[in-house]
Amino acid sequence: MKYRAVIHLFYYEDMSIEEISRVLKQKPSTTRAQLTSARYKLKEIMSKEDYDV
Protein backbone atom coordinates (compact mmCIF):
# COMPACT_ATOMS: atom_id res chain seq x y z
CA MET A 1 0.00 0.00 0.00
CA LYS A 2 1.39 3.38 -0.98
CA TYR A 3 0.40 5.06 2.28
CA ARG A 4 2.04 2.53 4.57
CA ALA A 5 5.61 3.56 3.73
CA VAL A 6 4.88 7.27 4.17
CA ILE A 7 3.20 6.74 7.56
CA HIS A 8 5.96 4.44 8.77
CA LEU A 9 8.80 6.73 7.73
CA PHE A 10 7.15 9.85 9.12
CA TYR A 11 5.97 8.54 12.49
CA TYR A 12 8.24 5.59 13.28
CA GLU A 13 11.50 6.63 11.62
CA ASP A 14 10.95 10.33 12.42
CA MET A 15 11.83 11.45 8.89
CA SER A 16 10.85 14.78 7.38
CA ILE A 17 8.74 15.17 4.25
CA GLU A 18 11.87 16.06 2.29
CA GLU A 19 13.75 12.99 3.52
CA ILE A 20 10.83 10.69 2.74
CA SER A 21 10.46 12.14 -0.75
CA ARG A 22 14.15 11.49 -1.45
CA VAL A 23 13.90 7.89 -0.21
CA LEU A 24 10.74 7.19 -2.21
CA LYS A 25 12.03 9.17 -5.23
CA GLN A 26 9.01 11.42 -5.53
CA LYS A 27 8.23 15.11 -5.19
CA PRO A 28 7.74 16.51 -1.68
CA SER A 29 4.24 17.64 -2.67
CA THR A 30 3.35 14.03 -3.56
CA THR A 31 4.70 12.82 -0.23
CA ARG A 32 2.74 15.50 1.63
CA ALA A 33 -0.46 14.59 -0.23
CA GLN A 34 0.02 10.89 0.52
CA LEU A 35 0.59 11.63 4.19
CA THR A 36 -2.57 13.73 4.33
CA SER A 37 -4.59 11.00 2.61
CA ALA A 38 -3.13 8.34 4.89
CA ARG A 39 -4.08 10.31 7.99
CA TYR A 40 -7.62 10.72 6.70
CA LYS A 41 -7.98 7.01 5.93
CA LEU A 42 -6.52 6.07 9.29
CA LYS A 43 -8.96 8.39 11.04
CA GLU A 44 -11.87 6.74 9.20
CA ILE A 45 -10.67 3.27 10.18
CA MET A 46 -10.18 4.26 13.79
CA SER A 47 -13.63 5.86 14.06
CA LYS A 48 -15.33 2.77 12.57
CA GLU A 49 -13.59 0.58 15.14
CA ASP A 50 -14.98 2.75 17.95
CA TYR A 51 -18.53 1.87 16.89
CA ASP A 52 -17.80 -1.86 16.50
CA VAL A 53 -16.86 -2.27 20.15
Side-chain angles (χ1 to χ4, degrees):
M1 185 167 197
K2 64 182 176 181
Y3 300 131
R4 184 175 293 186
V6 176
I7 287 285
H8 178 80
L9 293 172
F10 189 80
Y11 288 107
Y12 292 98
E13 303 299 328
D14 201 32
M15 294 174 73
S16 68
I17 299 289
E18 290 75 23
E19 291 170 325
I20 296 169
S21 64
R22 272 186 257 127
V23 168
L24 298 179
K25 297 179 182 169
Q26 58 191 19
K27 294 179 182 179
S29 59
T30 302
T31 302
R32 196 172 299 110
Q34 287 178 345
L35 187 58
T36 300
S37 296
R39 287 175 179 150
Y40 179 77
K41 285 187 175 286
L42 192 56
K43 184 177 179 179
E44 282 184 337
I45 291 168
M46 300 287 283
S47 66
K48 285 181 185 176
E49 287 180 4
D50 288 342
Y51 292 112
D52 291 340
V53 175

